[in-house]
Amino acid sequence: MTRQDLLKEAQRAQFCENLININNLYYSFDETKKVTGIPADMSVHWKTGNVFYTLINDNMKMSLQVLHPSGDAETIKVAGLGQSTTVDNLNDVVYLATDNGVYKYKEDGSIELYAALGEDVMYVTVSNDGSVMYIATWPQNRVHKITNEGQKQEMFPAIPNGHGITVDTRNNIFFVATQTSHVLKNGHNIPIKIKGLPSERITGVFVSRSDEIYAMDENSNLYSIDAENANARHLGTFNISGVNTFAMDSADNVLIGVRGGIQKFNAYEQDPCRNYDKFSGSFKPKHASHLMPLATTTRKRRHNKVGKRHSRRRKHRRLTTTTTVASELFLGIDDEEE
């Protein structure tokens, strides 16, 4: 075995030792995108791969940012103070919440006013089909319902506080009030506390492209939420502290925002280290042609009644792969052992 072979085996062993198994998926750390400040309220446009977030600098000033797949980040220029973003992935529309209203963000980087309000908009989310928008204002701490392309506005008293407001594909609404996460089921008027979530601060609720509902706390513990029964189940942890926000891209890769950076974990449907023995720290002999590429893939989607949304998502589905595959790391090593 050559020195290069030994180096590849050591790299592969380190990769396998750090692999995280959560909810029948396998995650490996990919990279950290450095930012100057703390990222908050991340959202992802699945078609373009753009990641939108609020950047809070050391002076507690906020600005809206977009991180492109190329790794380049830029500030979104808005009239007033940018607060947060949300993405309508069905209709490919990005909305920006500011202190003087809600704007649409266009692919060329320009913006246009969607709804003007006399209150400071902190959070914004849209219904499954994009026809209804909910906004949470500050310091009034009240929620408005906006319809008719931004022309009709009305109070939505069913939600007392819209902090971190999120809507799933069945139009259940999730939000945080008095440090407790709640769900307002579609068609109901009284929100219910979600059982099973910890007392630590929940950084947010995110609906993945496979229509799963997740929550993450500040210690990177990931939870799956059952909206129908208003309870949550702990899935595992990414072993990161100080989490302020999280999101998932179109391939269910996980993005975690902490002070100074956004960390990315690639997701795998199958174990890329299935021939690695953690107890001995070595690999089982296997021909290189049978080694599985370390490809990042999406989870199989559940069939449900939201057919239109799924059809749209399949159109935009794109798979990404890591830069190194198992056969590249160990081509020839297993041949020598056999």
Side-chain angles (χ1 to χ4, degrees):
M1 186 179 293
T2 66
R3 179 181 298 179
Q4 185 177 10
D5 292 336
L6 290 172
L7 178 60
K8 288 180 179 179
E9 186 172 78
Q11 292 173 341
R12 175 73 169 164
Q14 183 179 18
F15 171 90
C16 293
E17 287 290 340
N18 295 327
L19 198 66
I20 300 172
N21 183 5
I22 297 178
N23 198 30
N24 298 321
L25 285 181
Y26 298 86
Y27 295 92
S28 67
F29 174 75
D30 182 23
E31 62 178 348
T32 297
K33 172 61 181 178
K34 293 184 179 180
V35 300
T36 306
I38 304 173
D41 304 314
M42 276 196 297
S43 57
V44 183
H45 187 199
W46 291 325
K47 179 182 178 181
T48 62
N50 287 332
V51 180
F52 296 87
Y53 60 97
T54 305
L55 183 64
I56 306 172
N57 65 18
D58 293 337
N59 296 322
M60 299 305 292
K61 292 184 178 180
M62 295 186 294
S63 62
L64 298 181
Q65 306 283 319
V66 55
L67 175 62
H68 300 287
S70 63
D72 297 328
E74 62 177 312
T75 300
I76 301 175
K77 297 180 180 179
V78 296
L81 179 64
Q83 310 274 33
S84 64
T85 63
T86 194
V87 181
D88 174 4
N89 277 301
L90 177 64
N91 299 300
D92 294 320
V93 181
V94 179
Y95 294 99
L96 313 175
T98 75
D99 61 352
N100 63 358
V102 179
Y103 292 81
K104 283 185 178 181
Y105 175 85
K106 299 182 179 180
E107 291 190 12
D108 62 1
S110 63
I111 63 173
E112 67 177 27
L113 184 64
Y114 177 77
L117 297 101
E119 299 179 20
D120 192 340
V121 181
M122 285 295 294
Y123 300 98
V124 58
T125 189
V126 294
S127 62
N128 172 46
D129 61 1
S131 63
V132 180
M133 174 180 288
Y134 300 93
I135 63 168
T137 64
W138 185 89
Q140 296 86 357
N141 284 334
R142 55 190 176 192
V143 175
H144 295 264
K145 180 179 179 181
I146 300 178
T147 54
N148 193 26
E149 289 295 316
Q151 300 304 309
K152 182 180 179 181
Q153 303 173 19
E154 57 184 307
M155 287 289 295
F156 193 69
I159 298 180
N161 186 327
H163 180 89
I165 189 169
T166 304
V167 179
D168 69 6
T169 56
R170 292 174 175 80
N171 290 327
N172 300 306
I173 306 176
F174 303 86
F175 64 97
V176 178
T178 61
Q179 299 183 339
T180 302
S181 298
H182 296 77
V183 57
L184 178 65
K185 296 182 184 180
N186 186 17
H188 291 235
N189 296 318
I190 301 176
I192 304 173
K193 177 182 176 181
I194 301 174
K195 300 178 181 178
L197 291 178
S199 57
E200 292 94 341
R201 186 175 68 88
I202 293 297
T203 64
V205 174
F206 192 89
V207 182
S208 72
R209 191 169 187 174
S210 51
D211 291 345
E212 300 288 348
I213 308 165
Y214 295 101
M216 181 178 287
D217 66 19
E218 58 188 4
N219 293 316
S220 71
N221 290 298
L222 188 67
Y223 298 83
S224 174
I225 296 178
D226 177 2
E228 182 62 28
N229 296 302
N231 59 37
R233 178 171 61 93
H234 181 253
L235 301 176
T237 180
F238 288 89
N239 301 311
I240 298 174
S241 59
V243 177
N244 195 60
T245 182
F246 87 106
M248 295 180 178
D249 66 14
S250 62
D252 283 350
N253 300 317
V254 176
L255 306 169
I256 299 177
V258 298
R259 177 182 289 275
I262 297 175
Q263 301 186 19
K264 180 181 179 181
F265 288 81
N266 288 330
Y268 306 84
E269 286 185 333
Q270 299 181 29
D271 184 1
C273 296
R274 61 187 183 277
N275 65 326
Y276 178 73
D277 185 357
K278 283 192 174 183
F279 293 100
S280 64
S282 61
F283 295 90
K284 301 173 184 177
K286 193 171 186 179
H287 193 276
S289 62
H290 296 293
L291 289 173
M292 186 183 72
L294 303 186
T296 306
T297 61
T298 60
R299 302 177 62 183
K300 294 181 180 179
R301 300 187 183 90
R302 299 178 292 105
H303 294 287
N304 60 27
K305 298 179 181 179
V306 196
K308 181 179 179 182
R309 185 181 182 97
H310 277 239
S311 175
R312 180 73 171 187
R313 287 174 175 175
R314 282 193 290 269
K315 179 180 178 182
H316 290 164
R317 175 176 177 176
R318 296 186 301 174
L319 303 183
T320 59
T321 58
T322 55
T323 56
T324 306
V325 297
S327 57
E328 291 176 348
L329 283 174
F330 299 104
L331 186 60
I333 293 179
D334 293 329
D335 291 334
E336 293 175 1
E337 293 177 346
E338 290 183 345

